[in-house]
Structure formats: structure tokens, C-alpha cells
């Protein structure tokens, strides 16, 4: 179940949430209900670049916590998102080379929260997540981050690979966690770095992968072949920290 504080139900409530500028992550609409009020919600959601999902009544009933959704439910982020420029500005303010986390296919809120916590403790300037295939900033994420969400900017972007193209113009190199990559100790992880972390099962998407410059593998001696995404993020982040400190 989603955090109660991040769910808004009912046509008027969803519409007002959109119009008031609340950070709406996703809107669920009853697929066969497309009357005037629903069309207005769809229009407002598209105007704000929200994810729209048209689902059947059974799915809406499963999501609903009140049973009075009226064919419309919105997920609201518990915290406001920053922008990529906010993250770069923080690096400039500190007089440091940018150090970013870019997450692809991280849908578990506990993983996202743990990575935000690691990003904060490792001195990263921010975290970037995609609009789709990603957990949003729910109360669960905030709790898993142990408060780090209040200090580490998180930006949500429509297209992660396009954002990487723009960041390359800022001088960033992208290092992707990949078990088939080069051992992380043998890589130069200094300078402006974007650390790309994917789901431990499916990894990063092909388009994101094509924009990566280096592929870093974590040495493993056990019988299993992968680490939890947040643990892998932590191991790689602290190798980057070690190298930055010389």
C-alpha cells in the first residue's frame, strides 16, 4: 500500500491538487470514464507532464484507501523535487566537481531512500531519477533516507538519457555499475562524475547504457552474483570518495 499522505482520491480533489501546483507523480483514471470532469483532469495532468495511467475499476479499487475514488486517484510526492540546475548549482557553491547519482529502474522506495542517504553521506550533490519506471518521493522514501531527503536534492526528469547528454556538455563522465565491467579499483573515478545505478535484476536501460563512459564492477567472492542496488551504490560511491581524497 502507498503512504496515505501521498494519495488523493476523487475527481475534485485530484483536479484541485493538479491546479494548486502540488508535486503530482502519477494520475490513475478509470479507463471507460471519459466525461467532462475526467477530460479536465487529463488535460491538467498532461499540461503538467504527469504520468497518466488508464486502468480498470478493479485496479482503482485496489489502490483506493477510501473506496470513494470516483474514477480518479493521484499520487502526490511527499517532498518537492529539485531541478538538475539546482544540483549543479550546489556543486558550484561548494567549489567541487559535480558528483551525481542517476538511477534507472529503481522502483523500490526503500532502495531509493537508502541511495539518497548514501548520496548525502558520500557528499554527492544530488540524485536524478526518471519520470517513468521509478519510485517517487513518498513518505516511505523519506523514512528510508533517514532524513537525508531534506538535504540532498532529488530531480525528476522526463528523459534520463537526454539529461545525460546535457550533463556531458557540463563536463560530466558517467560511470555505470555493471558486473561485467572493469574492476572499480582500476578505473579513474575522479573529476565530474555521474554514478549510474540500475535495478539489480534488469540493470540500466539500453539508451542510458549507451551514454555511459565507464563500466565499473564490484569484486565479489561469494556464490551469488549481484548486490542490492542501494548496497552497490554505496560501495561504488565510497570508492569514488576514496579516489577524490587521493
Amino acid at each position: 500500500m502507498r503512504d496515505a499522505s501521498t494519495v488523493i482520491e476523487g475527481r475534485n480533489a485530484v483536479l484541485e491538487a493538479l491546479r494548486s501546483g502540488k508535486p503530482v507523480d502519477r494520475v490513475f483514471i478509470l479507463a471507460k470514464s471519459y466525461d467532462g470532469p475526467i477530460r479536465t483532469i487529463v488535460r491538467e495532468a498532461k499540461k503538467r507532464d504527469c504520468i497518466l495511467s488508464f486502468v480498470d475499476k478493479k485496479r482503482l479499487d485496489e489502490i483506493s484507501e477510501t473506496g470513494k475514488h470516483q474514477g480518479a486517484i493521484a499520487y502526490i510526492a511527499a517532498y518537492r523535487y529539485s531541478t538538475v540546475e539546482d544540483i549543479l548549482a550546489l556543486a558550484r557553491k561548494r567549489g567541487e566537481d559535480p558528483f551525481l547519482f542517476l538511477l534507472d529502474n529503481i522502483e523500490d522506495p526503500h532502495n531509493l531512500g537508502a541511495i539518497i542517504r548514501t548520496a548525502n553521506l558520500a557528499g554527492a550533490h544530488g540524485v536524478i531519477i526518471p519520470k517513468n519506471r521509478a519510485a517517487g518521493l513518498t513518505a516511505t522514501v523519506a523514512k528510508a533516507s533517514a532524513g537525508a531527503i531534506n538535504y540532498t536534492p532529488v530531480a525528476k526528469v522526463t528523459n534520463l538519457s537526454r539529461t545525460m547528454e546535457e550533463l556531458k556538455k557540463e563536463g560530466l563522465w558517467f560511470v555505470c555499475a555493471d558486473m561485467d565491467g572493469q574492476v572499480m579499483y582500476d578505473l579513474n573515478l575522479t573529476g565530474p562524475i555521474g554514478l549510474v545505478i540500475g535495478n539489480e535484476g534488469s540493470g540500466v536501460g539500453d539508451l542510458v547504457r549507451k551514454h555511459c563512459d565507464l563500466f565499473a564492477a564490484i569484486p565479489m567472492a561469494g556464490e551469488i552474483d549481484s548486490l542490492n542496488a542501494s548496497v552497490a551504490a554505496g560501495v561504488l560511491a565510497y570508492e569514488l570518495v576514496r579516489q577524490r581524497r587521493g
Side-chain angles (χ1 to χ4, degrees):
M1 182 182 293
R2 295 276 298 206
D3 305 296
S5 61
T6 67
V7 178
I8 290 181
E9 304 184 36
R11 297 181 179 189
N12 288 336
V14 170
L15 184 57
E16 288 307 312
L18 288 164
R19 286 176 169 170
S20 69
K22 289 183 182 294
V24 179
D25 271 339
R26 184 187 296 262
V27 177
F28 288 86
I29 296 293
L30 183 61
K32 294 182 179 179
S33 176
Y34 213 64
D35 54 19
I38 291 294
R39 283 198 297 271
T40 302
I41 290 171
V42 170
R43 183 174 64 250
E44 293 294 326
K46 287 181 176 178
K47 190 186 302 182
R48 288 157 180 77
D49 200 28
C50 297
I51 300 173
L52 270 170
S53 297
F54 294 90
V55 298
D56 59 22
K57 186 176 183 299
K58 180 181 177 182
R59 176 61 177 145
L60 277 178
D61 290 342
E62 290 172 350
I63 299 170
S64 176
E65 295 175 350
T66 67
K68 301 176 182 178
H69 53 73
Q70 299 177 312
I73 295 177
Y75 283 169
I76 310 297
Y79 289 77
R80 289 194 177 273
Y81 294 98
S82 298
T83 66
V84 175
E85 179 52 38
D86 291 334
I87 295 172
L88 295 176
L90 180 58
R92 290 193 293 269
K93 181 180 178 180
R94 292 181 183 173
E96 298 169 344
D97 286 330
F99 172 19
L100 286 60
F101 282 74
L102 292 92
L103 311 182
D104 193 28
N105 296 317
I106 304 295
E107 298 182 285
D108 182 344
H110 295 92
N111 261 339
L112 176 57
I115 291 172
I116 294 171
R117 182 178 186 176
T118 294
N120 178 265
L121 292 171
H125 303 106
V127 176
I128 300 175
I129 61 176
K131 174 181 168 183
N132 296 298
R133 306 184 314 280
L137 297 184
T138 65
T140 297
V141 171
K143 184 176 180 180
S145 79
I149 197 171
N150 294 295
Y151 305 100
T152 300
V154 178
K156 175 180 278 192
V157 298
T158 301
N159 189 308
L160 198 58
S161 59
R162 188 174 303 134
T163 297
M164 292 170 74
E165 289 177 4
E166 293 300 315
L167 286 170
K168 284 193 175 190
K169 297 175 184 176
E170 299 287 336
L172 271 78
W173 288 69
F174 293 100
V175 180
C176 179
D178 189 329
M179 69 177 66
D180 295 321
Q182 192 172 353
V183 174
M184 65 182 187
Y185 303 127
D186 298 331
L187 295 173
N188 181 351
L189 301 179
T190 59
I193 292 287
L195 187 55
V196 183
I197 306 293
N199 181 286
E200 59 260 32
S202 58
V204 302
D206 290 340
L207 283 176
V208 170
R209 185 180 178 84
K210 287 177 182 177
H211 286 83
C212 293
D213 304 291
L214 301 171
F215 296 88
I218 299 169
M220 298 187 203
E223 284 70 41
I224 59 175
D225 62 1
S226 67
L227 288 168
N228 173 279
S230 62
V231 174
V235 173
L236 284 168
Y238 273 92
E239 173 57 18
L240 190 153
V241 170
R242 184 190 70 80
Q243 292 191 23
R244 282 192 165 202
R245 290 188 172 184

